[in-house]
């Protein structure tokens, strides 16, 4: 497939190396990607100010917070496939315009309904931006070594953005009004709209077939109920309504898969899963997100509720583990380029992450540095895996399906994160229930937050004693969940070795001399 709208060499040409133009274009892509990932957590500290100003109901407050992630997750596959059909750059610029406009509306929203609608449009924009950026990266960087570096940067920015979002919202709300957390999106989107047509190549599937409209609601019906049910289970428990949500979503997932296998022009081509290495990358990427967000469920509460830090203090402390992320992906890329089998690098990443969980399992109620170190070790191991799996998947997928491949990887990450919070959160909650004495006030045996609230109402030393017991119980739950996470990751290390060893050998055998990176 040639590219008549860009000076970038023909995508997929073996040995073609990117120059200054492509690396500059990558830096332009990274800023909106950072902001899209930050928007997942940007309301952590803005919600109190929004509540005071707009006076939303409790249900509206939940939708203000959650609708962005729900819409984004539900539309990833649709937008990835759409970009392959109409052009990834075109869809990226449309998404940037929608994201910027919705950010402006959200910043000056005068009602909860307006803010919810704006957040929904932000989710639509985010769903166009995320797979489009990775698909364009795949188009610009056809040399395997350069592609690996670019994908590593993409993965690091994506992971760091979620951590930075909460901190940025705390700082902005501290000095400005809550709408400023949305206005910061505008300069990046304007920059993308101005420089995108100049720097970014256009590419698409030359023969995509008809767009299968029926697959769009099927994909959303498969993703949204599962994500919603899994998201609510850690805090609300395995209530029948949430189990039904997950079950309904899985039934629609089966219908979606059947549709993709029988449709003349499917939204997601089943041939993608036959690409050598793509399915293992998808599964291992899901496990990585399971581990990352499963740990975050505990570490964020530990820093705030166990150690007693303010929300902003807890968010600032949580930035420290991100420092190791900046080193993990580049080091991993260098190892693979110097001839280390990718299977062993990924397995080592899982083992490192398991060690991070092991450190969390040793934490007590006053172990901030151990928890931060464990979170950093865990994150560095997981980013090692994610960067390699994204590179493997994008390298295995046909270039004309780069958008669909990227969207599948990102959807697997959404599922993995929700599953990690549900399963590990449930383990921690079960241990917490067991550790809280039966004599404790009824709400205190539900969550640590409820116990701390109840303790404020108790007279004398009874409140202090309840706080100590609840913090011990929560820490015990974190330890149990961390042990479970460590066992899972060690199993994933063996799975990675078994599934990726032959993939790496085939990659090496099929590489042309120009494609083999210099040692």
């Amino acid at each position: 497939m040639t590219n008549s709208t860009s000076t970038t060499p023909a995508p997929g040409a073996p040995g073609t190396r990117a120059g200054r133009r492509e690396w500059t274009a990558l830096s332009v892509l990274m800023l909106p990607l950072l902001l899209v990932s930050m928007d997942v957590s940007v309301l952590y500290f803005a919600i109190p100010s929004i509540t005071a100003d707009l006076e939303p109901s409790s249900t509206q407050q939940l939708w203000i917070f959650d609708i962005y992630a729900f819409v984004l997750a539900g539309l990833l596959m649709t937008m990835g496939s759409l970009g392959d059909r109409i052009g990834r750059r075109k869809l990226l610029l449309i998404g940037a315009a929608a994201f910027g406009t919705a950010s402006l509306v959200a910043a000056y929203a005068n009602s909860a309904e307006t803010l919810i609608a704006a957040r929904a449009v932000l989710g639509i924009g985010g769903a166009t931006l995320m797979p489009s950026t990775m698909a364009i990266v795949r188009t610009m960087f056809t040399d395997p070594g350069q592609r690996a570096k670019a994908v590593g940067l993409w993965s690091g920015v994506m992971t760091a953005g979620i951590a930075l979002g909460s901190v940025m919202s705390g700082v902005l709300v501290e000095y400005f009004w809550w709408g400023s957390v949305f206005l910061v999106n505008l300069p990046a989107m304007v920059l993308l709209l101005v420089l995108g047509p100049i720097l970014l190549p256009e590419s698409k599937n030359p023969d995509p077939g008809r767009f299968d409209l029926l697959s769009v609601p099927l994909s959303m019906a498969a993703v949204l109920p599962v994500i919603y049910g899994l998201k609510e289970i850690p805090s609300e428990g395995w209530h029948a309504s949430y189990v039904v949500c997950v079950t309904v979503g899985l039934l629609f997932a089966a219908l979606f898969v059947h549709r993709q296998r029988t449709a003349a022009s499917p939204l997601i081509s089943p041939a993608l899963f036959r690409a050598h290495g793509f399915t293992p990358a998808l599964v291992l990427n899901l496990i990585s997100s399971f581990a990352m967000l499963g740990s975050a469920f505990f570490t964020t509460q530990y820093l705030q509720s166990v150690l007693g830090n303010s929300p902003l203090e807890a968010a600032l402390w949580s930035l420290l583990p991100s420092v190791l992320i900046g080193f993990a992906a580049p080091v991993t890329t260098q190892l693979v380029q110097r001839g280390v089998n990718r299977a062993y690098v990924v397995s080592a990443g899982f083992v490192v992450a398991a060690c991070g969980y092991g450190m969390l399992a040793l934490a007590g109620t006053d172990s901030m540095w151990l928890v931060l170190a464990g979170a950093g070790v865990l994150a560095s191991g997981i980013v090692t895996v994610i960067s390699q799996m994204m590179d493997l998947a994008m390298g295995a997928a046909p270039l004309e399906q780069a958008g669909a491949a990227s969207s599948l990887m990102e959807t697997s990450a959404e599922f993995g994160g929700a599953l990690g919070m549900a399963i590990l959160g449930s383990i921690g909650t079960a241990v917490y229930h067991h550790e809280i004495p039966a004599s404790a006030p009824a709400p205190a045996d539900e969550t640590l937050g409820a116990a701390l609230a109840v303790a404020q109402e108790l007279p004398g030393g009874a409140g202090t004693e309840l706080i100590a017991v609840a913090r011990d119980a929560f820490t015990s739950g974190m330890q149990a969940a961390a042990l479970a996470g460590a066992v899972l990751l060690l199993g994933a290390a063996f799975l990675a070795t078994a599934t990726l060893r032959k993939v790496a050998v085939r990659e090496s055998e099929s590489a042309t001399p120009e494609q083999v990176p210099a040692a």
Side-chain angles (χ1 to χ4, degrees):
M1 180 177 69
T2 57
N3 187 349
S4 60
T5 61
S6 169
T7 59
T8 301
T16 302
R17 292 185 62 82
R20 182 179 301 176
R21 178 190 182 92
E22 286 75 21
W23 289 107
T24 303
L26 178 64
S27 65
V28 172
L29 284 176
M30 291 301 99
L31 191 54
L33 175 66
L34 179 68
L35 292 172
V36 168
S37 59
M38 286 169 63
D39 256 47
V40 173
S41 56
V42 78
L43 291 187
Y44 282 175
F45 299 120
I47 278 291
S49 299
I50 292 173
T51 301
D53 193 9
L54 301 184
E55 299 181 349
S57 66
S58 58
T59 301
Q60 288 175 327
Q61 182 173 313
L62 287 174
W63 278 113
I64 288 171
F65 194 85
D66 290 337
I67 195 168
Y68 173 81
F70 285 153
V71 172
L72 187 149
L75 288 176
L76 279 172
M77 287 189 287
T78 297
M79 293 304 180
S81 180
L82 184 62
D84 288 340
R85 285 168 164 78
I86 70 171
R88 290 103 183 206
R89 185 182 68 182
K90 180 185 294 184
L91 186 64
L92 179 75
L93 297 178
I94 292 172
F99 201 87
T101 302
S103 297
L104 187 63
V105 173
Y108 293 100
N110 57 7
S111 68
E113 292 83 359
T114 301
L115 184 54
I116 291 169
R119 288 278 287 170
V121 177
L122 282 170
I124 297 172
T128 67
L129 291 168
M130 288 174 64
S132 295
T133 54
M134 175 49 65
I136 292 173
V137 167
R138 172 68 178 87
T139 301
M140 292 192 299
F141 297 93
T142 57
D143 174 79
Q146 290 187 320
R147 185 191 67 223
K149 292 179 181 178
V151 170
L153 286 171
W154 188 96
S155 302
V157 167
M158 190 72 198
T159 305
I162 297 174
L164 288 172
S166 59
V167 177
M168 186 189 72
S169 70
V171 172
L172 289 174
V173 172
E174 180 75 19
Y175 295 102
F176 304 99
W177 96 110
W178 60 263
S180 61
V181 304
F182 298 108
L183 286 183
V184 294
N185 295 332
L186 293 180
M189 297 305 156
V190 171
L191 184 68
L192 180 59
L193 288 170
V194 172
L195 297 181
I198 300 172
L199 293 174
L200 301 176
E202 181 61 286
S203 62
K204 60 182 179 179
N205 188 339
D207 186 24
R210 296 181 61 185
F211 188 73
D212 185 30
L213 291 176
L214 180 59
S215 291
V216 175
L218 281 177
S219 68
M220 295 187 70
V223 172
L224 293 181
V226 176
I227 295 291
Y228 174 75
L230 293 176
K231 186 178 182 299
E232 295 299 318
I233 285 169
S235 57
E236 302 296 333
W238 290 82
H239 293 172
S241 59
Y242 304 134
V243 174
V244 169
C245 275
V246 173
T247 303
V248 168
L250 292 176
L251 290 174
F252 275 107
L255 291 174
F256 176 74
V257 170
H258 176 73
R259 178 67 182 177
Q260 304 319 294
R261 297 180 64 181
T262 57
S265 179
L267 194 70
I268 303 293
S269 172
L272 262 179
F273 296 91
R274 296 192 291 272
H276 196 62
F278 185 83
T279 299
L282 203 66
V283 173
L284 295 173
N285 188 61
L286 184 149
I287 295 173
S288 300
S289 296
F290 179 107
M292 180 71 88
L293 290 187
S295 69
F297 177 81
F298 293 97
T299 54
T300 53
Q301 292 186 72
Y302 181 90
L303 290 173
Q304 190 169 331
S305 298
V306 175
L307 297 180
N309 290 312
S310 69
L312 183 55
E313 287 173 335
L316 289 170
W317 281 119
S318 68
L319 282 180
L320 284 181
S322 302
V323 174
L324 292 177
I325 295 176
F327 297 97
V331 170
T332 302
T333 300
Q334 286 297 317
L335 288 173
V336 174
Q337 290 184 1
R338 290 181 181 276
V340 180
N341 191 304
R342 192 199 297 265
Y344 301 134
V345 173
V346 172
S347 296
F350 277 124
V351 171
V352 168
C355 291
Y357 262 129
M359 296 168 72
L360 293 180
L362 297 174
T365 55
D366 190 20
S367 305
M368 183 179 74
W369 292 109
L370 180 59
V371 168
L372 290 176
V377 171
L378 172 63
S380 62
I382 291 302
V383 169
T384 294
V385 176
I386 290 175
S387 63
Q388 287 302 304
M389 292 304 91
M390 185 64 78
D391 181 49
L392 174 61
M394 297 310 295
L399 188 61
E400 60 269 18
Q401 297 179 40
S406 175
S407 68
L408 278 173
M409 290 295 286
E410 289 151 14
T411 302
S412 78
E414 295 288 340
F415 274 119
L419 197 61
M421 293 179 68
I423 293 179
L424 295 185
S426 296
I427 291 173
T429 300
V431 173
Y432 177 86
H433 289 332
H434 182 266
E435 295 288 329
I436 290 290
S439 59
D445 65 355
E446 294 296 329
T447 64
L448 175 58
L452 296 179
V454 169
Q456 302 299 321
E457 307 296 328
L458 296 179
T464 303
E465 182 180 353
L466 178 59
I467 289 174
V469 170
R471 286 173 172 169
D472 281 334
F474 177 86
T475 304
S476 296
M478 181 177 73
Q479 293 168 347
L483 287 174
V487 171
L488 172 70
L489 291 178
L490 291 175
F494 285 106
L495 178 64
T497 301
T499 58
L500 299 182
R501 189 164 47 192
K502 293 181 180 179
V503 173
V505 170
R506 182 176 294 190
E507 284 182 314
S508 176
E509 291 175 347
S510 63
T512 64
E514 293 84 357
Q515 288 174 302
V516 177

